């Protein structure tokens, strides 16, 4: 085909895909044109989804908000699953609130539709030969098998935490859908390579074999240990990132029973992770000599925002020894910790270590399982001993951060893991008195400095965005940790009314709901989908009407 004809076809397709009501009109050019490269033409015509998500597209929901249909054209989606489409169909039929149904229809597949930038099954012809050519002998098994690069949305990089949460709602389908199974297995393998390569980092570039160009950031950062910018997007050490790798693995094993991820590379990633935990449980001052010992990890950024760097030469505030807790330099919001023992992250890693131990026990790795179990139990004990403090109004509560010297920060942040999400993490039962006291504290303005209220929205925010924007993610977690149907309905209504583009945003201005951050944020969309699926099983009457039966995936 002449270039002029090709460019003309691309232009026409772009106009069609970008302007037509997606999902109503379809086009099939394969027969008329008989092109062997029609997929390339389709992809070239696909609009940028960040811009696409900012505009509303027909058809609109039949609910009072008339919410738009925001899925990209099927030719522009990055991954497809018939089972996912079946769940959407079921929810469209069952959900009484058709505006909620529309958000679910947009949000549940959002990760698959838009963020799977690279996936290989590991069985493609010539793949193994290509991989072997590109590796050193010491990394003979690197990048073999399925691999998946999952971006967070409008940033072309993979966060370990975000990608784990983005895939969580599909874990329920992995046993029945081989493609989903392989996608998540690939995500485990890819995360393992990232941890082996740079275990202190939180966000990563496309894998070297993907052929995708890296997006460079963090050029002004001074970080130890040093990292390779073509491999790492940002290198903020966050304990929950390491916990997320274990969580991704544990969820996959729990839902499929598979242990095919137990490769030499996975075990090397686990060993690397444990080395980081050992390094980051050390105090600032040697317990025997009292002398200062510089931490293995330091981070400094040239910035006028205090939460974007660590003080004291990139080390952070002093931490005491003998606590059993693990330091985290940054929070899951990517903001710097004030006191380095971040309680939600420690709670999460304790749970995932113990879950991993149970899995390895079944796999016959008794010694390694015992090591993980002991580490998890030690961290859990540290959370209870040092992370629980007495509040003059609320009684015994979990602190957000502590230092082991007796200081604590009382607050919660919207990002997961959070204190509000402790039951969802599996750390504690929601009926526990300390958790109930904590929940009451962090969901009140007088108890949590980042509980933000306004005329249009209210919920937990955090320093990452500012003092006027609360995060829908926190309101969804509030719903998932509640047994009160009225509270749940209130949370759902608030998020729905703040999602006028049919997608869940990062944060909402509490006094002006149309002022939001990030039109495309796949993690937030996944949390919405997880909330609906949780309630469909746990509180079906809230979603489906009186006498409704639970809807269970998997």
């Amino acid at each position: 085909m002449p270039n002029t004809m090709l460019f003309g076809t691309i232009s026409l397709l772009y106009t069609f895909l970008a302007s037509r009501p997606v999902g109503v009109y379809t086009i099939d050019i394969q027969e008329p044109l008989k092109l062997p490269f029609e997929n390339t033409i389709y992809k070239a015509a696909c609009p940028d989804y960040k811009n696409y998500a900012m505009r509303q597209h027909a058809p609109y929901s039949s609910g009072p908000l008339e919410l738009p249909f925001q899925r990209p054209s099927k030719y522009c989606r990055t991954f497809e699953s018939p089972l996912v489409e079946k769940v959407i169909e079921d929810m469209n039929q069952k959900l009484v609130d058709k505006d909620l149904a529309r958000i679910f229809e947009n949000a549940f597949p959002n990760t698959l539709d838009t963020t799977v930038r690279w996936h290989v099954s590991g069985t493609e012809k010539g793949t193994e030969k290509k991989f072997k050519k590109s590796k050193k002998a010491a990394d003979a098994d690197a990048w073999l098998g399925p691999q998946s690069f999952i971006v967070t949305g409008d940033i072309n990089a993979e966060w370990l935490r975000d990608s784990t949460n983005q895939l969580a709602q599909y874990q329920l389908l992995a046993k029945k859908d081989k493609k989903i199974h392989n996608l998540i297995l690939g995500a485990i393998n890819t995360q393992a390579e990232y941890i082996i390569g740079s275990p202190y980092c939180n966000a990563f570039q496309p894998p070297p074999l993907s052929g995708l160009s890296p997006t460079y950031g963090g050029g002004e950062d001074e970080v130890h240990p040093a990292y390779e910018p073509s491999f790492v997007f940002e290198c903020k050490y966050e304990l929950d990132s390491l916990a997320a790798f274990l969580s991704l693995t544990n969820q996959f094993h729990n839902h499929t029973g598979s242990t095919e991820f137990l490769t030499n590379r996975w075990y090397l990633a686990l060993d690397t992770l444990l080395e980081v935990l050992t390094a980051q449980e050390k105090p600032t001052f040697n317990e025997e000599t009292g002398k200062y010992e510089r931490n293995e990890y330091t981070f400094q950024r040239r910035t006028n925002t205090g939460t974007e760097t660590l003080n004291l030469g990139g080390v952070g505030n002093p931490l005491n020894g003998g606590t059993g807790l693990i330091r985290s330099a940054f929070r899951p919001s990517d903001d710097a910790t004030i006191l380095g023992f971040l309680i939600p992250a420690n709670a999460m890693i304790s749970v995932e270590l113990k879950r991993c131990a149970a899995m390895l026990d079944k796999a016959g790795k008794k010694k390694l399982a015992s090591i993980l179990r002991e580490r998890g139990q030690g961290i859990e004990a540290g959370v209870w001993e040092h992370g629980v403090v007495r509040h003059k109004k609320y009684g015994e509560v979990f602190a957000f951060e502590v230092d082991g010297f007796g200081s604590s920060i009382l607050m919660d942040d919207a990002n997961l893991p959070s204190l509000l999400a402790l039951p969802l993490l599996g750390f504690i039962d929601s009926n526990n008195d300390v958790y109930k006291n904590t929940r009451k504290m962090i969901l009140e303005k007088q108890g949590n400095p980042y509980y933000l209220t306004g005329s249009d929205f209210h919920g937990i925010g955090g320093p990452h965005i500012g003092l006027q924007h609360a995060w829908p993610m926190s309101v969804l977690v509030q719903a998932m940790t509640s047994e009160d149907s009225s509270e749940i309905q209130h949370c759902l209504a608030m998020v729905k009314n703040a999602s006028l583009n049919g997608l869940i945003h990062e944060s909402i201005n509490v006094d002006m709901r149309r002022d939001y951050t990030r039109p495309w944020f796949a993690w937030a969309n996944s949390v919405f989908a997880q909330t609906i699926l949780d309630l469909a099983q746990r509180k079906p009457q809230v979603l489906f009407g009186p006498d409704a039966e639970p809807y269970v995936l998997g």
Side-chain angles (χ1 to χ4, degrees):
M1 175 184 286
N3 285 343
T4 52
M5 188 181 298
L6 175 60
F7 293 148
T9 303
I10 291 174
S11 178
L12 287 170
L13 279 170
Y14 181 89
T15 302
F16 181 86
L17 293 172
S19 63
R20 291 290 184 175
V22 178
V24 176
Y25 300 92
T26 59
I27 186 170
D28 185 356
I29 66 166
Q30 185 171 352
E31 283 305 310
L33 296 179
K34 298 184 182 300
L35 297 174
F37 45 87
E38 66 272 3
N39 286 341
T40 302
I41 296 178
Y42 283 131
K43 293 299 182 185
C46 292
D48 175 76
Y49 189 74
K50 179 181 177 181
N51 294 328
Y52 187 86
M54 295 175 71
R55 300 189 297 272
Q56 297 191 357
H57 306 274
Y60 297 94
S61 68
S62 58
L65 293 180
E66 297 183 334
L67 296 180
F69 180 85
Q70 300 292 71
R71 296 186 68 183
S73 162
K74 67 178 183 178
Y75 302 108
C76 300
R77 296 171 191 171
T78 58
F79 196 90
E80 291 185 291
S81 163
L83 266 183
V84 167
E85 303 303 323
K86 177 63 167 60
V87 174
I88 293 170
E89 182 182 334
D90 290 346
M91 286 298 175
N92 278 338
Q93 292 175 358
K94 288 176 174 290
L95 282 164
V96 173
D97 187 323
K98 297 308 176 185
D99 289 323
L100 277 183
R102 174 48 54 82
I103 299 175
F104 183 86
E105 184 176 10
N106 293 331
F108 178 56
N110 191 248
T111 288
L112 301 185
D113 282 356
T114 65
T115 71
V116 184
R117 289 292 168 83
W118 180 65
H119 169 66
V120 292
S121 68
T123 60
E124 289 84 357
K125 188 176 180 181
T127 299
E128 188 168 342
K129 184 177 179 182
K130 175 185 174 186
F131 282 13
K132 284 183 176 177
K133 266 186 172 182
S134 64
K135 291 179 307 207
K136 299 175 183 177
D139 296 322
D141 297 329
W143 302 108
L144 289 182
Q147 303 289 334
S148 304
F149 176 61
I150 314 292
V151 301
T152 190
D154 55 7
I155 303 174
N156 192 42
E158 175 172 332
W159 269 253
L160 300 183
R161 166 191 57 255
D162 292 35
S163 57
T164 291
N165 283 284
Q166 286 168 243
L167 293 169
Q169 68 268 27
Y170 311 126
Q171 295 270 13
L172 301 164
L173 304 174
K175 191 171 184 178
K176 295 182 178 179
D177 187 327
K178 186 62 179 176
K179 287 180 65 180
I180 292 286
H181 177 108
N182 220 45
L183 178 71
I184 298 174
L185 177 59
I188 294 171
N189 292 340
T190 300
Q191 284 199 7
E193 295 297 336
Y194 287 147
I195 288 175
I196 293 166
S198 292
Y200 282 99
C201 300
N202 60 322
F204 294 86
Q205 304 281 16
L209 295 165
S210 68
L212 301 173
S213 299
T215 303
Y216 290 101
E220 298 295 304
D221 298 346
E222 296 180 11
V223 183
H224 185 273
Y227 62 87
E228 169 53 52
S230 65
F231 184 73
V232 170
F233 177 80
E234 183 178 63
C235 197
K236 291 179 174 178
Y237 161 58
E238 299 164 358
L239 178 59
D240 72 281
S241 290
L242 299 178
F245 167 65
L246 296 182
S247 178
L248 183 67
T249 298
N250 291 331
Q251 290 178 59
F252 182 72
H253 174 72
N254 180 51
H255 289 293
T256 66
S258 171
T259 55
E260 57 196 299
F261 52 83
L262 291 177
T263 64
N264 291 338
R265 300 301 282 180
W266 187 89
Y267 283 117
L268 179 56
L270 180 62
D271 288 344
T272 306
L273 182 155
L274 292 175
E275 289 174 2
V276 172
L277 298 189
T278 299
Q280 296 307 312
E281 68 181 350
K282 293 178 181 177
T284 304
F285 302 99
N286 186 288
E287 292 182 88
E288 294 182 2
T289 67
K291 291 185 177 180
Y292 165 71
E293 293 183 349
R294 188 178 180 87
N295 195 281
E296 174 68 18
Y297 173 83
T298 61
F299 181 100
Q300 284 186 294
R301 173 173 291 177
R302 296 178 185 177
T303 176
N304 60 3
T305 303
T307 55
E308 286 296 312
T309 192
L310 296 177
N311 65 351
L312 294 173
V315 176
N317 291 317
L319 298 173
N320 207 356
T323 64
L325 298 172
I326 310 297
R327 176 197 189 220
S328 186
F330 289 86
R331 300 169 178 174
S333 59
D334 298 336
D335 296 323
T337 53
I338 299 171
L339 304 178
F341 293 140
L342 179 62
I343 295 302
N346 274 272
M348 182 180 181
I349 194 74
S350 73
V351 170
E352 298 303 342
L353 284 168
K354 290 187 293 181
R355 287 174 174 169
C356 198
M359 180 267 294
L360 290 173
D361 250 338
K362 288 192 292 183
K365 301 290 184 178
K366 302 293 184 182
K367 184 176 179 180
L368 182 55
S370 178
I371 292 171
L372 296 186
R373 187 176 297 106
E374 185 176 336
R375 293 300 298 267
Q377 290 170 345
I379 297 169
E380 179 185 16
V383 170
W384 284 105
E385 182 178 354
H386 298 278
V388 177
V389 300
R390 177 161 289 278
H391 191 286
K392 64 180 181 180
K393 177 180 178 181
Y394 301 101
E396 285 195 325
V397 298
F398 288 106
F400 188 63
E401 295 171 358
V402 299
D403 63 0
F405 290 106
S407 296
S408 60
I409 303 291
L410 297 182
M411 58 168 281
D412 201 18
D413 191 286
N415 284 259
L416 301 172
S418 63
L419 294 178
L420 186 60
L422 288 177
L424 304 182
L425 301 176
F427 184 79
I428 197 170
D429 189 275
S430 59
N431 290 319
N432 178 276
D433 286 339
V434 178
Y435 175 74
K436 288 194 292 186
N437 294 344
T438 306
R439 192 177 193 276
K440 184 177 180 181
M441 176 183 73
I442 59 182
L443 291 177
E444 289 183 358
K445 185 67 175 175
Q446 296 306 310
N448 180 7
Y450 289 100
Y451 188 80
L452 309 177
T453 61
S455 57
D456 273 11
F457 195 74
H458 57 265
I460 299 172
H464 196 68
I465 300 300
L467 298 176
Q468 291 181 289
H469 286 72
W471 294 49
M473 191 185 300
S474 72
V475 182
L476 295 168
V477 172
Q478 182 181 348
M480 284 191 280
T481 55
S482 176
E483 293 296 331
D484 184 332
S485 295
S486 296
E487 180 183 13
I488 293 169
Q489 288 171 333
H490 174 71
C491 291
L492 291 178
M494 190 160 47
V495 171
K496 176 185 69 176
N497 291 332
S499 305
L500 299 181
N501 278 357
L503 294 164
I504 310 300
H505 301 301
E506 178 186 50
S507 70
I508 303 292
N509 186 320
V510 294
D511 288 313
M512 190 187 304
R513 64 185 179 182
R514 291 184 181 275
D515 174 17
Y516 61 81
T517 60
R518 302 183 76 173
W520 173 29
F521 188 32
W523 180 13
N525 287 300
S526 293
V527 174
F528 178 85
Q530 292 157 27
T531 304
I532 296 299
L533 293 173
D534 167 67
L535 296 174
Q537 181 173 349
R538 187 169 58 88
K539 292 276 188 180
Q541 298 82 6
V542 171
L543 300 179
F544 308 142
D547 304 319
E549 294 294 322
Y551 179 83
V552 182
L553 264 64

